[in-house]
């Protein structure tokens, strides 16, 4: 059956990797990909899928639009998508409900009303991002006079959903969506270690030499693009608390201009305060070798759609520690996953608020307090006893168990079967 996979962009990141995996899992289907931007077209064309780039599908500039401007954009987007659809096509749209482009969200709703089979693959939700939801209201409600919730969650038999976890599955049911139109579709874990990748000790030796790090210390990496919800301030705080024991590295800078200013403030802060973190390590050394050579991968993120960071490093024999996001990790734990050291909160002496909920200025003040000795490290460890075991040795049988669960429960083959079965339900 013909499948059109659509998204706002194919910049490096989680959704792009899932789209690549979907194309791979649909090798016997006719697949087109429609996106607003694609810096590396070969990732699609090399997989024998058609690629079409329309800038109108990308994030919409946040500004006030006239009624005529909005209508013109709507007609254009509707037409651009429509010309790639037949009566049998499944339109598989990623992050339609994120609210980054309300025109696209409304256009796809109108297509669904016309009978197009829409699979809304929800990685994130505008309800979790107030500014995105208000943008939807400005366009959909204020200009087109439509109810936002009706557009986001139409009660149509040809409109189905894909969700990444049980939390979002329950969320849609609570919003009144029928269970039979929702597919729980955990992301496939497709990270296959290269055959020639060195063992952990050799990989660490190479990485430390390249990055000029003390090999006697632990190597702790955060395999992430630094954006707000990744909570980089907490990562920096932990690097200071463990600077005598570990080197800390984070892999990628942000690409979104909105996030770049925050990132610059943190990198400048580290430079001014002699905080030795390796930023953009993924651009300086081989990413796979970095993860293999790391003694631990850490996450301080407070919001994830799926939580790939909790899974992938284990395939390279690297344990994952850090902040727990219960509605994400509960699915992994239900599969039998063992996480050695995860924490829910980071308490700061004299402050009632979790560190992650403090603004950038307050986080910087606390880190400076720790550096100056105004905030005693000992008290931080006393109030957060989990920190005493954060980087404890992880037994090899735990690593092996987690690797087996990933291979059995998150395979690309199983993912493709679920996806095709859902499409068949939609086509009838």
């Amino acid at each position: 059956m013909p499948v059109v996979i659509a998204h706002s962009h194919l910049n490096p990141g989680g959704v792009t990797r899932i789209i690549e995996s979907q194309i791979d899992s649909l090798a016997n289907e006719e697949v087109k990909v429609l996106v607003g931007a694609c810096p590396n077209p070969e990732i699609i064309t090399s997989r024998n899928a058609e690629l079409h780039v329309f800038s109108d599908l990308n994030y919409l500039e946040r500004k006030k639009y006239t009624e005529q401007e909005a209508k013109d954009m709507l007609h254009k987007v509707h037409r651009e998508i429509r010309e790639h659809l037949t009566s049998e096509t499944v339109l598989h749209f990623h992050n339609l409900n994120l609210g980054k482009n309300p025109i696209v969200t409304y256009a796809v709703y109108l297509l669904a009303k016309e009978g197009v089979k829409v699979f809304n693959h929800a990685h994130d939700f505008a309800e979790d991002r107030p500014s995105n939801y208000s943008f939807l209201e400005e366009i959909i409600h204020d200009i087109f006079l439509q109810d936002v919730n009706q557009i986001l969650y139409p009660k149509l038999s040809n409109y189905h959903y894909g969700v990444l976890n049980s939390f979002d599955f329950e969320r849609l049911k609570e919003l009144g969506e029928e269970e039979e139109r929702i597919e729980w579709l955990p992301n496939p874990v497709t990270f296959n270690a290269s055959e020639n990748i060195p063992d952990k000790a050799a990989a660490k030796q190479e990485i430390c030499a390249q990055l000029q790090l003390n090999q006697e210390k632990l190597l702790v990496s955060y395999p992430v693009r630094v954006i707000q919800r990744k909570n980089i301030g907490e990562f920096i705080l932990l690097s200071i608390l463990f600077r005598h024991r570990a080197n800390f590295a984070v892999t990628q800078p942000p690409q979104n201009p909105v996030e770049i200013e925050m990132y610059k403030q943190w990198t400048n802060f580290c430079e001014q305060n002699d905080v030795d973190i390796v930023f953009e390590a993924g651009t300086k050394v081989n990413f796979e070798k970095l993860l293999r050579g790391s003694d631990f991968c850490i996450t301080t993120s407070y919001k994830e759609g799926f939580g790939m960071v909790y899974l992938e490093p284990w395939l390279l024999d690297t344990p994952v520690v850090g902040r727990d996001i219960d509605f994400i990790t509960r699915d992994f734990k239900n599969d039998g996953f063992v996480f050695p050291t995860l924490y829910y909160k980071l308490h700061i002496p004299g402050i009632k608020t979790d560190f992650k909920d403090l603004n950038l200025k307050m986080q910087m003040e606390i880190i400076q307090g720790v550096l100056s000795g105004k905030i005693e490290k000992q008290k931080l460890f006393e109030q957060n006893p989990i920190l005493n075991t954060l980087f404890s040795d992880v037994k090899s049988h735990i690593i092996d168990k987690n690797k087996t669960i990933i291979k059995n429960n998150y395979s690309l083959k199983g993912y493709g079967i679920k996806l095709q079965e859902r499409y068949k339900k939609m086509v009838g």
Side-chain angles (χ1 to χ4, degrees):
M1 78 199 75
V3 178
V4 169
I5 298 174
H7 185 41
S8 44
H9 61 74
L10 285 175
N11 295 335
V15 177
T16 297
R17 288 173 62 194
I18 296 309
I19 289 173
E20 292 172 41
S21 295
Q22 286 171 350
I23 298 168
D24 292 341
S25 73
L26 297 169
N28 297 322
E29 307 293 347
E30 176 193 328
V31 179
K32 285 185 183 181
V33 178
L34 311 184
V35 289
C38 182
N40 182 13
E42 193 178 36
I43 63 170
I44 301 301
T45 55
S46 66
R47 290 176 160 83
N48 297 318
E50 270 188 45
L51 174 66
H52 300 270
V53 180
F54 307 118
S55 60
D56 305 285
L57 299 185
N58 210 336
Y59 295 163
L60 187 62
E61 183 185 355
R62 185 72 191 265
K63 67 174 190 179
K64 290 290 182 184
Y65 292 92
T66 66
E67 183 179 343
Q68 193 57 51
E69 283 175 327
K71 285 182 175 177
D72 288 346
M73 287 190 293
L74 178 66
H75 291 149
K76 192 176 179 190
V77 168
H78 182 279
R79 185 177 66 250
E80 284 171 344
I81 299 173
R82 194 55 158 126
E83 67 184 27
H84 293 282
L85 309 176
T86 70
S87 60
E88 295 301 305
T89 302
V90 173
L91 176 58
H92 184 143
F93 220 111
H94 287 267
N95 254 353
L96 198 56
N97 285 21
L98 180 56
K100 290 286 192 177
N101 191 326
I103 296 289
V104 170
T105 304
Y106 188 38
V108 174
Y109 164 81
L110 293 175
L111 288 165
K113 289 277 284 183
E114 295 164 14
V116 171
K117 300 163 185 67
V118 174
F119 186 68
N120 180 344
H121 198 145
H123 300 256
D124 303 284
F125 292 78
E127 290 89 338
D128 298 330
R129 305 186 188 187
S131 64
N132 289 13
Y133 198 84
S134 64
F135 193 25
L136 286 164
E137 289 181 318
E138 288 170 24
I139 303 287
I140 291 173
H141 180 268
D142 297 351
I143 294 180
F144 292 110
L145 308 179
Q146 298 292 320
D147 180 271
V148 173
N149 282 339
Q150 185 183 331
I151 305 306
L152 294 178
Y153 307 106
K155 304 296 188 286
L156 298 169
S157 61
N158 55 305
Y159 196 105
H160 292 222
Y161 300 87
V163 294
L164 309 187
N165 53 62
S166 60
F167 179 85
D168 290 336
F169 188 88
E170 294 301 324
R171 180 205 298 246
L172 286 181
K173 283 169 61 180
E174 287 171 11
L175 286 166
E177 296 301 328
E178 300 165 353
E179 190 170 321
E180 57 266 29
R181 289 194 291 114
I182 311 170
E183 186 71 46
W184 181 1
L185 198 63
N187 289 342
V189 182
T190 57
F191 200 108
N192 295 316
S194 303
E195 290 181 12
N196 59 352
I197 191 169
D199 64 23
K200 185 166 285 291
K204 182 178 179 180
Q205 185 176 12
E206 282 186 47
I207 293 297
C208 287
Q210 288 176 287
L211 297 177
Q212 298 181 308
L213 300 173
N214 180 352
Q215 196 182 321
E216 299 305 310
K217 290 184 177 182
L218 296 173
L219 177 56
V220 179
S221 60
Y222 191 7
V224 73
R225 186 173 297 285
V226 179
I227 56 176
Q228 190 72 42
R229 63 186 173 88
K230 302 299 182 179
N231 194 17
I232 193 68
E234 187 163 304
F235 175 76
I236 293 167
L237 174 60
L238 292 172
S239 79
I240 291 161
L241 294 179
F242 292 95
R243 68 196 319 179
H244 61 292
R245 284 186 59 199
N247 297 305
F248 281 66
V250 63
T251 52
Q252 293 290 338
Q255 287 192 327
N256 186 336
V258 176
E259 305 278 5
I260 289 172
E261 178 56 33
M262 172 274 300
Y263 179 69
K264 283 181 179 174
Q265 288 186 57
W266 278 119
T267 54
N268 290 339
F269 174 86
C270 289
E271 190 175 333
Q272 290 160 11
N273 290 278
D274 294 322
V275 179
D276 294 325
I277 284 175
V278 180
F279 286 97
E280 303 176 28
T283 67
K284 299 169 183 173
V285 296
N286 177 272
F287 177 75
E288 186 180 33
K289 200 176 290 182
L290 173 63
L291 260 60
R292 168 77 94 187
S294 296
D295 294 286
F296 294 90
C297 279
I298 193 167
T299 173
T300 54
S301 174
Y302 56 76
K303 190 184 291 294
E304 292 293 324
F306 175 68
M308 191 69 81
V309 68
Y310 290 106
L311 301 183
E312 279 187 338
W314 296 96
L315 295 175
L316 292 165
D317 301 315
T318 304
V320 179
V321 299
R323 186 175 276 275
D324 200 343
I325 306 174
D326 181 61
F327 74 85
I328 297 293
T329 60
R330 72 184 187 190
D331 294 336
F332 307 146
K333 291 170 186 174
N334 286 340
D335 287 335
F337 237 84
V338 176
F339 293 104
T341 323
L342 297 178
Y343 60 86
Y344 289 107
K345 286 189 174 181
L346 194 58
H347 301 282
I348 305 299
I351 295 175
K352 293 182 179 179
T353 307
D354 184 0
F355 186 82
K356 77 173 176 63
D357 296 323
L358 300 174
N359 62 33
L360 182 145
K361 183 173 180 288
M362 290 184 71
Q363 288 191 347
M364 286 184 173
E365 286 174 1
I366 286 166
I367 294 169
Q368 283 175 323
V370 174
L371 286 167
S372 68
K374 186 178 174 183
I375 298 174
E376 295 178 36
K377 287 185 183 180
Q378 183 184 342
K379 286 189 176 177
L380 268 163
F381 280 84
E382 286 172 1
Q383 290 200 10
N384 302 279
I386 192 78
L387 294 180
N388 292 299
T389 57
L390 189 61
F391 298 120
S392 296
D393 287 343
V394 178
K395 303 296 183 187
S396 60
H397 71 87
I398 291 177
I399 294 174
D400 291 340
K401 179 183 180 182
N402 288 350
K403 285 169 71 174
T404 299
I405 292 170
I406 293 170
K407 290 171 182 175
N408 290 343
N409 294 20
Y410 298 92
S411 72
L412 185 65
K413 183 179 179 182
Y415 183 85
I417 289 169
K418 286 186 81 171
L419 202 54
Q420 290 178 18
E421 286 176 351
R422 173 57 56 174
Y423 291 163
K424 286 172 186 171
K425 277 185 191 175
M426 296 174 70
V427 173

